[in-house]
Amino acid sequence: RFQACVYFASAFQAISCGIHYLASVFMAVTPNFVCGIPGNVSSALFYNSSESSLEDIWTLWTSAENYIVVQLENGEIWELNQCSRSRREVSSDLAYEYKGNRSIFSCSDGFLYDDTKWKSTVVTQWDLVCDREWLAKLIQPTFMLGVLIGAVIFGDIADRLGRQRVIWFTSTGQFVFGIAVAFTFDYYSFVIVRFLLAMVSSGYLVVAFVYVTEFVGIKARTWASMHVHAFFAVGIMVVALVGFLVQTWWVYQIFLSLATLPFVLCCWMLPETPFWLLSEERYEDAQKVINTMARWNKVSTPCKVSELCSVQRDDLVSGGAGDSDTASAKKHNILDLFCNWHIARRTITVWLIWFTGSLGYYVFSLSSVNLGGSEYLNLFLIGAVELPCYIIACIAMDKLGRRNTLIPFLILSALICVLIMFIPQDFNILIILANMAGKFSIGVAFGLIYLYTAELYPTIVRSLAVGSGSMMCRVGSVVAPFCVYLRSVWIFMPLLLVGIMALLSGILTIMLPETLGKPLTNTLVEATEIGRNKRSCSEKTPPAHSSAMLEKIEMFGQETVSTEK
C-alpha cells in the first residue's frame, strides 16, 4: 500500500513533464498572416471573392504564396503578401490581377494574423515571422537543450543531496516557472524562463525514475518504471485538450501549469528512499522510513537496518574483495565503454538506438499537428497510442526477449515511415492511423532501451552506460524540432530521416546479445562474453560480492514487506 501511494504520487507529476515538453505545439504555432495595412480598408479581394473585411478572407486562404488585394478609404490599392506589400501605381479598378507598376514596401506597420483558431500565440505576440521566423523555430530546441542540461545537473544533485529534496525543488520549480512563462514581457525572457522550466522538468523526470525504482519491489520494477512513460503520455493528451479549449497562449500556459499544483501541495510528504539513506550511512532515518512503510503495509515485524547491515558486512568479509571492487569502480570513465571491439560496437549501437528512439518519438509528436484534420485530435491520439504500447513492450520483452522485441519494432517503424510517403495527401484518416502506428512502434523501442542498456553492461560501468545513452537521447530531442522544420524543404524529409535511422538501428541491433533470463554481469570480461556462447557468463566467473549483497538486501526487504497483506 505504501509503495503504491508513493509510486502513483510520483508518477502523477510526470504528467506535467509531458505537458511542458509538448506545450509549444500550440503555444508557438504560426497562423496565416499578411503585412499590415497603412490605413482603413474599404474593401478586400481574394481571387474572385470580394469581402468587406479581412476576417472573412482567412477561410479561403490556402497557401503562403497567396496575397490579398485591399482598397483603402483614400482610394489606394495595395497587395498584401506575407513578408512584403506593394502599392499599385494605377488604382483605377479593384482587380486581383494587375500588370502595371508597383512600389514595394516592407511590413513596417506590423502584420495581420488569422485569429479564427488561435486568438494569440507567442508568434503573434512578438511578430516572430519573416526575418524573425528563426526565433520561433528556436523555441523548442532551446527547451530541449534545457532538458539535456537539467538531466545532467539534477541527476548528480540527487546522488549528493538525496532524491527527496530534488523532487521537492523540481516539482515546485515546474509550477513557479510554468506560471512565470505566462507573464514574460518579451521573447528573450520567455525563452530564458522556458529554459529553466525545461531544466526542472527534465530533472524531475530523471530523479522520479530512480525514486520509484528504489521503492518498488523487484517483481514490479519493470512494469513500474515503464509506465512512468505512460503518465508522460497522459500529459501529451492534456496538452491537446487544453489547446482545444483555450486559444490564448498565456491563459493556455497557466491552465497547463495548474496541473502541477496538486503535487506541489503534497510532495513534502514524500519520504527519502531507504537505499539512499543507507548509502549515506543515515541508519536511523532509514529505519524511520522502513517503520512507516511497515505501518502502512500492516507488517507487524518490519525489517531492521542492523540486520541489513550485518548482511552487507558478512558478504564483504566472506568476499574479501569488496573494498578493492569499490575502489576500482570509481576509476572507470566513458572510455571503458570502448575498451574492446565488442563493447565498442555495442556502445555505438545502443547510443544510436537511444538517439533514434528520441528523434522518432518527438518527430511523430511534433508533426502530429500538421497531418490535416483536427490538430487537437491528432495530438491526443498520438499521446493515447502510447498507453497500450508500453503494455505490449512489457509483455513482449519478457516473453520474446529484449533484442527480439527491439529489432522488429525498429524495422517496423522504418517501414511505416516509408509507407506514409506513398499515402495520398487527401487520405487524412489513413495518414493519421499510419502516424499512430509509427509512434506506437518507436514508443516500444524507446521504452525498452532503458532496461536493455542496463542489462548489456557490467556493474562497474552500468550507470555510466545508461547515463551516456540518456545523453544521446537528449541530443535526439534537441535535433527533433530542426528535423520537423525540414518539412519546408520536402514534406516527407523528417519521416525519411527517422526511417533511415530506425532501419540502421534495427539492423545493428541484430548483433547485440539477448539478455533475457541471464544474470547481470559485473566485469567487462563477462559483458564481452554475453551471447558469444550458450553458457551464461555466471558459469565462468562468479558474480561480484557487491552485487550479491545488493540482491540479498533487496530480496530481504521484499520478503519482509510481503509477509502480510
Side-chain angles (χ1 to χ4, degrees):
R1 187 182 297 111
F2 181 89
Q3 285 90 330
C5 291
V6 168
Y7 174 77
F8 284 108
S10 305
F12 174 82
Q13 182 66 358
I15 295 176
S16 65
C17 296
I19 286 173
H20 293 305
Y21 274 48
L22 273 296
S24 66
V25 169
F26 298 126
M27 184 166 52
V29 69
T30 301
N32 297 323
F33 66 94
V34 293
C35 266
I37 307 169
N40 295 323
V41 177
S42 61
S43 60
L45 184 65
F46 183 74
Y47 285 105
N48 295 324
S49 176
S50 179
E51 304 291 346
S52 59
S53 65
L54 291 176
E55 288 75 12
D56 298 326
I57 289 180
W58 291 125
T59 58
L60 306 174
W61 192 273
T62 57
S63 170
E65 302 298 325
N66 296 150
Y67 63 91
I68 299 174
V69 179
V70 296
Q71 186 171 30
L72 305 185
E73 291 180 349
N74 61 8
E76 292 181 349
I77 297 178
W78 289 75
E79 294 180 6
L80 307 179
N81 296 287
Q82 284 203 328
C83 296
S84 66
R85 57 186 178 176
S86 57
R87 185 184 64 207
R88 294 179 179 179
E89 296 298 334
V90 179
S91 54
S92 56
D93 296 324
L94 181 61
Y96 196 75
E97 299 294 338
Y98 175 74
K99 297 183 179 179
N101 295 328
R102 299 178 179 86
S103 298
I104 300 177
F105 299 88
S106 63
C107 299
S108 56
D109 293 300
F111 299 86
L112 298 174
Y113 296 97
D114 176 9
D115 60 359
T116 54
K117 283 188 177 180
W118 300 281
K119 300 300 181 184
S120 172
T121 71
V122 295
V123 173
T124 63
Q125 180 88 14
W126 297 304
D127 288 336
L128 305 181
V129 293
C130 297
D131 57 343
R132 287 168 57 85
E133 182 183 9
W134 65 276
L135 293 174
K137 291 185 176 181
L138 282 180
I139 291 176
Q140 189 66 15
T142 52
F143 183 91
M144 289 303 182
L145 182 62
V147 168
L148 189 155
I149 296 175
V152 176
I153 292 177
F154 287 106
D156 181 64
I157 293 176
D159 287 338
R160 297 174 184 272
L161 302 181
R163 289 78 164 102
Q164 181 193 49
R165 293 180 182 177
V166 173
I167 283 179
W168 287 357
F169 178 81
T170 53
S171 57
T172 304
Q174 282 189 81
F175 177 72
V176 172
F177 291 130
I179 296 295
V181 167
F183 295 97
T184 48
F185 53 86
D186 63 8
Y187 169 80
Y188 298 101
S189 62
F190 170 82
V191 169
I192 291 172
V193 177
R194 282 257 303 169
F195 183 85
L196 297 175
L197 176 61
M199 289 181 62
V200 294
S201 297
S202 173
Y204 180 86
L205 200 59
V206 169
V207 177
F209 271 106
V210 178
Y211 188 76
V212 300
T213 299
E214 292 180 350
F215 265 115
V216 176
I218 297 174
K219 294 181 179 179
R221 187 165 294 164
T222 299
W223 282 77
S225 61
M226 284 284 286
H227 281 80
V228 172
H229 293 286
F231 285 89
F232 186 94
V234 172
I236 298 177
M237 298 162 67
V238 172
V239 170
L241 179 61
V242 176
F244 175 74
L245 298 174
V246 183
Q247 280 79 43
T248 303
W249 77 266
W250 60 272
V251 179
Y252 161 85
Q253 176 65 28
I254 290 175
F255 272 96
L256 291 179
S257 301
L258 290 177
T260 311
L261 187 58
F263 184 78
V264 172
L265 297 177
C266 66
C267 67
W268 60 272
M269 299 172 62
L270 294 178
E272 184 56 80
T273 67
F275 273 95
W276 185 83
L277 292 172
L278 289 172
S279 70
E280 295 293 310
E281 299 182 354
R282 293 169 54 179
Y283 302 118
E284 292 183 3
D285 293 333
Q287 187 63 61
K288 291 179 181 178
V289 175
I290 292 173
N291 292 339
T292 302
M293 295 168 66
R295 287 196 302 271
W296 275 64
N297 296 335
K298 298 182 179 180
V299 176
S300 57
T301 55
C303 61
K304 303 296 183 182
V305 169
S306 57
E307 296 174 354
L308 296 179
C309 293
S310 66
V311 172
Q312 180 178 3
R313 284 195 298 268
D314 293 344
D315 199 75
L316 292 177
V317 170
S318 63
D323 294 336
S324 61
D325 288 345
T326 303
S328 63
K330 294 181 180 179
K331 297 180 181 178
H332 291 281
N333 55 54
I334 198 166
L335 295 179
D336 290 299
L337 300 180
F338 299 88
C339 63
N340 59 55
W341 165 243
H342 296 285
I343 298 296
R345 183 178 61 186
R346 185 178 304 175
T347 299
I348 293 172
T349 302
V350 167
W351 281 4
L352 184 63
I353 297 170
W354 277 92
F355 178 86
T356 302
S358 179
L359 180 69
Y361 183 93
Y362 287 106
V363 164
F364 279 114
S365 297
L366 296 172
S367 299
S368 61
V369 296
N370 301 316
L371 299 179
S374 172
E375 52 274 318
Y376 308 108
L377 180 60
N378 294 347
L379 184 63
F380 185 89
L381 294 175
I382 285 292
V385 76
E386 288 189 54
L387 302 182
C389 113
Y390 297 126
I391 298 176
I392 297 297
C394 288
I395 296 174
M397 65 195 298
D398 287 338
K399 299 295 183 180
L400 304 177
R402 283 70 160 126
R403 183 187 64 180
N404 295 336
T405 301
L406 191 58
I407 293 173
F409 278 103
L410 280 172
I411 295 178
L412 178 61
S413 61
L415 295 177
I416 291 174
C417 288
V418 175
L419 176 64
I420 294 174
M421 298 181 191
F422 291 96
I423 300 177
Q425 289 300 295
D426 53 346
F427 285 44
N428 287 339
I429 296 179
L430 194 57
I431 291 175
I432 293 170
L433 291 176
N435 275 269
M436 289 177 62
K439 177 69 178 295
F440 181 95
S441 300
I442 207 72
V444 171
F446 193 27
L448 188 153
I449 191 60
Y450 282 83
L451 179 62
Y452 194 28
T453 302
E455 294 176 341
L456 283 172
Y457 289 89
T459 303
I460 56 176
V461 293
R462 185 170 294 124
S463 295
L464 190 63
V466 175
S468 63
S470 180
M471 285 291 291
M472 294 304 298
C473 165
R474 309 305 172 190
V475 172
S477 65
V478 173
V479 173
F482 293 108
C483 186
V484 173
Y485 297 147
L486 291 177
R487 284 176 58 92
S488 59
V489 178
W490 185 41
I491 190 173
F492 296 123
M493 183 64 75
L495 290 173
L496 178 63
L497 294 177
V498 172
I500 292 173
M501 297 298 294
L503 181 62
L504 180 60
S505 300
I507 293 173
L508 292 178
T509 304
I510 297 174
M511 296 184 291
L512 293 179
E514 180 55 69
T515 59
L516 177 63
K518 295 184 179 180
L520 294 177
T521 57
N522 299 286
T523 67
L524 288 167
V525 174
E526 293 176 11
T528 304
E529 292 297 319
I530 297 179
R532 298 182 66 180
N533 51 51
K534 294 183 179 180
R535 292 190 300 166
S536 68
C537 34
S538 61
E539 293 176 336
K540 291 186 175 183
T541 309
H545 295 288
S546 58
S547 296
M549 179 272 294
L550 179 60
E551 184 177 351
K552 287 181 181 179
I553 292 176
E554 289 187 337
M555 290 300 294
F556 186 86
Q558 178 77 1
E559 291 170 0
T560 304
V561 173
S562 302
T563 53
E564 296 185 13
K565 293 185 180 179

